Amino acid sequence: MNKIKLVKGDITELAVDAIVNAANAHLQMGGGVAGAILRKGGQSIQDECDKIGFTAVGQTAITGGGNLKAKYVIHAVGPRMGEGDEDNKLFNATLNSLKIAQKQGLNSIAFPAISTGIFGYPLDKCAKIMIKTAKEFLAKNSIPKEVIFCLYDDTAYRLFKLAVREANVK
Ligand code: AR6
């Protein structure tokens, strides 16, 4: 059965088919998750991003995983707080990551809490939207089999745990 799992820690350490990068529309890997991916995965990931160029907010692009344990990186462009229509854009960024994983036949995908760092989106709302989106996708689709949410600190972990409970995910 396909399922949702929560872990605490550094997403760049996960040996999954794909980790999701909290990207910007120009696919320039800056700080936060993107910076950690670039440091550990290497320049080849940024080079692939440069070839792709622009990706609109709510959309995704996929590259190899470079030196990471993950085979691929899915670059999901989340909203910047204040730009408008943030909830819907975060929903789309999550949904399109799942869709691209499905299209590539990837069994396991790990998400960070998209937009909740440098982009300033509130963690509690992020948890609700991302968990609900994943739950609904998994109910209708058999791939990916496992969706992991990798949370960086205790607060994020607690809020995602709460969202899972509220969404009644087993
Ligand atoms: N593993 C898991 N989660 C992490 C890690 C990590 N190694 N590092 C940070 N987080 P952010 P955004 C958490 O800022 O808000 C970059 O410059 C962090 O605590 O990575 O979408 C990009 O290039 C937070 O909860 O992403 C973009 O320009 C969450 O991951 C921009 O930042 C997301 O924080 C994207 O900003």
Side-chain angles (χ1 to χ4, degrees), residues 9-11 22 24 28-34 36 113 115-119 150 152:
D10 181 354
I11 198 166
N24 59 49
Q28 292 303 309
M29 302 172 81
V33 174
S115 288
T116 63
I118 291 161
F119 280 178
C150 181
Y152 209 39

Side-chain angles (χ1 to χ4, degrees), residues 16-19 21 29 37-38 40-49 52 61-75 104 106:
V16 287
D17 288 332
I19 61 171
N21 176 29
M29 302 172 81
I37 290 174
L38 184 57
K40 215 169 278 180
Q43 183 62 27
S44 70
I45 302 175
Q46 182 64 66
D47 290 346
E48 281 189 63
C49 282
I52 298 162
I62 189 165
T63 67
N67 303 322
L68 294 170
K69 292 173 191 163
K71 295 187 197 105
Y72 298 93
V73 177
I74 295 170
H75 303 264
Q104 302 281 330
L106 306 181

